Amino acid sequence: MVTVQIDNTAVIDPAQLADIEKFERMLVRYKAGEIPEDVMRVFRLNNGVYGQRQGGTRQMVRVKIPAGIIQPEHFEAMGHIARTYSRGWGHITTRQNIQFHYVELDDIPEVMRTLASVGLTTREACGDTVRNVQGCHLAGACPHEVLDITAWARATALHFLRHPYAQRLPRKFKINFSGCATDCGQAMFNDVGIVAATREVPGGTEAGFRVYVAGGLGANPHPALALEEFTAREDLLPTIEACLRVFDHDGYRENKLRARMKWLVEKLGFEELQRRIFRERRFLLASSSWPGGIPELVTLHGDAPAGRHAEVAATPVGQGVNLSPLGHQSNAQSNGQTNYQSNGHGDSQSNGQGHSNHQANGHGNSQGNGTAMPVSIGGRAPYGRWQQANVVRGVAKGTVSAYAWARLGDITADQFDALAAIQRELGAECRVTNRQNIVFRDLEEHQLPRLFEALSAIDMGQPGAELLRDVVACPGADTCNLAVTQSRGLADAIGDRLEEEGLTEVGGLRINISGCTNSCGQHHAADIGFFGAERRAHGRSAPGYQMLLGGYVGDTQIHFGTKALRLPARNAPEAVVRVVRRFTAERAPGEEFRQWLERAGGPRAVGKGLADLDEFPTPEAGPEFYVDYDEAGPYEAVVGDSECAT
């Protein structure tokens, strides 16, 4: 692989340059003992630099990718950072960031300069700030969207970057955008979640938004609640800023464990929270930061929806291609063969000739007409399997999109460089997904074989990105101070076990893992979720997990997974295999996981069928049960100071 040279003479935005120079000054003062540790910690976090459990001067650096939009020069800069300053690879997060670990504190300014040279920043990627603004990665390429939310998400990110109110909030503040009710952007568990919507007006319909507030995961998950029935386009940014200001004024500052916006619902009651937000919005016109009207980026780039391919729009429901409002599919027929493949929650596509596919990477399990049928895609040639599982069609202009799979969300330096070359060669747009993959967009049909060939050459062309193979995990005890288990190691073990059983390409199921209760791996919102916990057995500490079943987000609804049983870490892969086997064997035609789960008696009933797995052998009989994945020595639950709640 040819190493890409980074242009260090590129013109850097003055605001970013000021950030970097300030970081350098603060670092000199900190090393001289002039700045206390706690003050430097807050400063680091606001600049996207997070301490690791290893301590010392090694840091995690988080790069914001607003709306997931990533360019070839971004890939190249990240390849350079991974190769030069980190451990040879970067990690995609569930919030469309890319982060690098084991970066020396003294190297941070140069990392920032490299990123700034291509227009990227770490500013406010961590800390008590407005974090990276997410958006559906198929925005502008989705046949269901009401509005293309791309420019809206970018405008929101720019408005709050360095915003005075966004620098020292009670806690972090997360904003997500979805273009339709499928909710691929996962609005329903964020501080502010925005979903494009319509309302009836004289003479037709008006496109705008429905704003949801006070959602969150963590140890105490809370569903987002609709602020009002409809928010006009010109009122959207003032509404978001009003939410932020109320959070700043009324959020808990003395108790960080109760400092997220979701706790304001308990503190104030939802009606009072609404009243304060509306009051703030009403008088925001008097503020110097009033962002009312249509943002310039939206005016420049537009927000018209992609629209459906003509053939999709003309197909009667129940015949041929039948795309539900949630991106699920009917068991449609084409040329006498079933041609639809469910890719899980909100993911669907068609292999019929000339028909359109849609794959939406939300967790939206359609309740719809009950005809969606997740199936396996095995038994085809590699390219056919990849095309069926990873390719998305449905844009009015006739282009297609395709996923590149990143195992555990990791991308090596060489892969970063190769992705840049592929993107340039195909003239594609790329976006980071919230399931830790990359999607290539604006492709043409004839480019798909070449894309598959190029991705396969760098081990990113496996079929089933977004299917069961696509296990999502937080960094866990590999680097995080709060984690008590190696969630990445478990994700790998589950993937290997599913491969052994031929189950990796089953659709309609999502697996998410967190190394603690805080749900950075979003375990609450997955069909099968795990969070790490210390267990005691035979007088010894051992790594364990709580298994949850039935999580769901989509159709502007959210249901959090319910506890099924506790397990030794070593038995969790077998538990997954058993649940998946039972689901695929027992489901009725068109039945989704949550429907089957209810029919099977619910999570606890299914968990009882796995009770034999909740047993620890003695340390002599099963020493591996007392050693966590990716570890060599005896398990010990070590939790450091949380920088998440600083």
Side-chain angles (χ1 to χ4, degrees):
M1 184 66 63
V2 177
T3 301
V4 175
Q5 298 299 316
I6 299 300
D7 180 9
N8 293 320
T9 66
V11 176
I12 295 176
D13 174 75
Q16 285 187 265
L17 184 59
D19 287 340
I20 297 166
E21 291 174 345
K22 182 177 180 180
F23 194 97
E24 289 176 316
R25 294 194 301 273
M26 291 285 283
L27 183 56
V28 169
R29 294 182 59 198
Y30 167 69
K31 292 172 70 174
E34 298 175 11
I35 297 177
E37 183 68 42
D38 58 343
V39 175
M40 186 63 182
R41 182 184 301 118
V42 170
F43 178 75
R44 272 195 295 102
L45 289 168
N46 277 33
N47 283 277
V49 181
Y50 193 106
Q52 295 187 184
R53 72 185 292 124
Q54 288 79 12
T57 57
R58 289 168 292 190
Q59 310 289 307
M60 181 268 281
V61 178
R62 182 176 292 157
V63 186
K64 294 166 75 173
I65 314 291
I69 300 169
I70 192 162
Q71 306 293 344
E73 57 269 24
H74 299 161
F75 282 131
E76 290 168 344
M78 291 185 196
H80 174 73
I81 291 168
R83 185 178 289 111
T84 308
Y85 302 107
S86 186
R87 52 181 171 177
W89 48 272
H91 177 72
I92 303 172
T93 77
T94 55
R95 288 197 53 79
Q96 294 176 311
N97 301 290
I98 295 179
Q99 57 194 37
F100 299 90
H101 294 87
Y102 292 90
V103 179
E104 285 293 332
L105 187 58
D106 284 345
D107 290 334
I108 300 296
E110 284 308 307
V111 170
M112 289 179 167
R113 279 194 171 83
T114 297
L115 294 168
S117 72
V118 295
L120 293 175
T121 185
T122 64
R123 175 86 189 211
E124 296 148 38
C126 304
D128 297 331
T129 64
V130 174
R131 299 289 186 87
N132 187 43
V133 176
Q134 284 189 268
C136 170
H137 60 273
L138 289 180
C142 171
H144 300 296
E145 64 187 8
V146 174
L147 290 171
D148 177 357
I149 53 81
T150 302
W152 286 99
R154 291 178 59 204
T156 302
L158 285 173
H159 177 69
F160 289 109
L161 182 64
R162 304 184 185 88
H163 191 292
Y165 262 91
Q167 303 307 302
R168 194 73 177 112
L169 295 165
R171 279 286 266 115
K172 56 192 172 184
F173 194 86
K174 297 179 178 179
I175 303 170
N176 283 35
F177 278 83
S178 288
C180 66
T182 306
D183 194 16
C184 303
Q186 302 176 331
M188 297 307 297
F189 55 74
N190 283 270
D191 298 288
V192 174
I194 301 104
V195 179
T198 60
R199 67 175 172 184
E200 297 297 323
V201 295
T205 60
E206 176 188 358
F209 301 96
R210 199 170 193 203
V211 176
Y212 295 83
V213 300
L217 296 178
N220 298 283
H222 190 280
L225 303 169
L227 181 65
E228 57 189 338
E229 189 64 29
F230 185 85
T231 302
R233 293 161 74 246
E234 60 270 20
D235 292 332
L236 180 63
L237 279 182
T239 301
I240 301 172
E241 182 162 330
C243 293
L244 182 73
R245 286 172 176 250
V246 170
F247 175 57
D248 180 72
H249 299 159
D250 299 317
Y252 292 98
R253 288 187 178 272
E254 301 306 316
N255 183 355
K256 290 293 188 180
L257 295 178
R258 297 173 67 84
R260 292 296 297 277
M261 193 170 184
K262 62 186 178 183
W263 294 106
L264 283 181
V265 176
E266 180 181 274
K267 176 183 177 181
L268 302 174
F270 187 58
E271 289 185 0
E272 176 60 17
L273 178 61
Q274 286 176 298
R275 188 189 70 80
R276 295 188 186 196
I277 291 171
F278 293 150
R279 181 186 62 188
E280 197 73 41
R281 182 175 68 181
R282 182 182 180 192
F283 294 107
L284 194 60
L285 178 65
S287 169
S288 62
S289 65
W290 180 72
I294 307 300
E296 183 179 348
L297 271 175
V298 177
T299 301
L300 180 64
H301 297 287
D303 61 357
R308 299 191 183 190
H309 189 282
E311 186 168 351
V312 177
T315 304
V317 173
Q319 299 178 25
V321 178
N322 178 14
L323 294 168
S324 82
L326 292 185
H328 271 272
Q329 72 283 356
S330 73
N331 191 16
Q333 301 292 320
S334 176
N335 296 330
Q337 296 182 349
T338 301
N339 60 27
Y340 265 83
Q341 165 63 42
S342 170
N343 275 357
H345 310 206
D347 295 355
S348 62
Q349 58 201 67
S350 163
N351 258 2
Q353 295 181 359
H355 287 180
S356 296
N357 295 348
H358 173 210
Q359 185 175 44
N361 174 30
H363 296 163
N365 292 336
S366 169
Q367 302 304 308
N369 57 16
T371 57
M373 181 182 294
V375 294
S376 171
I377 60 172
R380 293 172 176 262
Y383 175 72
R385 292 165 60 220
W386 175 82
Q387 182 178 208
Q388 185 179 3
N390 293 34
V391 174
V392 183
R393 298 177 178 85
V395 183
K397 59 187 176 182
T399 61
V400 294
S401 304
Y403 288 92
W405 181 56
R407 185 180 181 92
L408 299 182
D410 298 339
I411 302 181
T412 68
D414 287 348
Q415 286 174 328
F416 276 124
D417 291 344
L419 288 169
I422 296 167
Q423 186 178 5
R424 283 200 178 95
E425 176 187 342
L426 300 181
E429 181 190 343
C430 285
R431 297 199 192 185
V432 177
T433 83
N434 55 24
R435 287 196 69 83
Q436 303 174 317
N437 294 311
I438 302 291
V439 63
F440 282 75
R441 300 154 41 109
D442 295 334
L443 298 167
E444 296 182 9
E445 287 287 338
H446 70 87
Q447 295 177 308
L448 290 175
R450 171 57 188 148
L451 177 61
F452 172 68
E453 176 187 38
L455 292 177
S456 297
I458 59 171
D459 200 29
M460 297 185 73
Q462 290 86 341
E466 318 287 317
L467 291 183
L468 195 56
R469 141 181 301 121
D470 202 22
V471 181
V472 165
C474 71
D478 178 39
T479 55
C480 176
N481 276 320
L482 293 181
V484 295
T485 55
Q486 289 278 6
S487 49
R488 288 170 52 82
L490 176 60
D492 240 346
I494 289 174
D496 290 344
R497 188 76 178 86
L498 291 169
E499 290 280 3
E500 291 172 7
E501 296 295 321
L503 296 172
T504 53
E505 293 169 17
V506 169
L509 284 169
R510 295 292 170 85
I511 302 172
N512 287 46
I513 307 169
S514 301
C516 70
T517 61
N518 286 309
S519 205
C520 294
Q522 301 178 351
H523 59 264
H524 285 107
D527 297 283
I528 302 174
F530 292 95
F531 68 82
E534 180 183 16
R535 299 289 302 275
R536 297 287 301 180
H538 303 286
R540 296 271 299 273
S541 290
Y545 283 89
Q546 175 69 56
M547 185 183 201
L548 298 89
L549 297 174
Y552 156 81
V553 56
D555 195 23
T556 55
Q557 300 177 40
I558 187 165
H559 301 280
F560 301 117
T562 301
K563 291 179 180 179
L565 82 161
R566 297 190 306 167
L567 293 158
R570 294 288 168 175
N571 284 345
E574 178 61 25
V576 170
V577 166
R578 287 198 198 177
V579 171
V580 175
R581 275 196 199 132
R582 184 176 172 188
F583 169 56
T584 56
E586 296 179 4
R587 67 186 178 198
E591 190 170 41
E592 296 178 357
F593 185 77
R594 290 188 73 250
Q595 296 169 324
W596 166 80
L597 188 63
E598 183 177 351
R599 188 167 58 82
R604 292 195 181 279
V606 172
K608 286 181 180 179
L610 306 172
D612 62 298
L613 295 178
D614 187 17
E615 296 180 1
F616 282 89
T618 65
E620 294 75 24
E624 70 277 9
F625 279 74
Y626 301 86
V627 177
D628 205 353
Y629 291 105
D630 296 335
E631 297 286 353
Y635 172 78
E636 183 181 4
V638 178
V639 179
D641 293 333
S642 168
E643 294 200 346
C644 289
T646 299

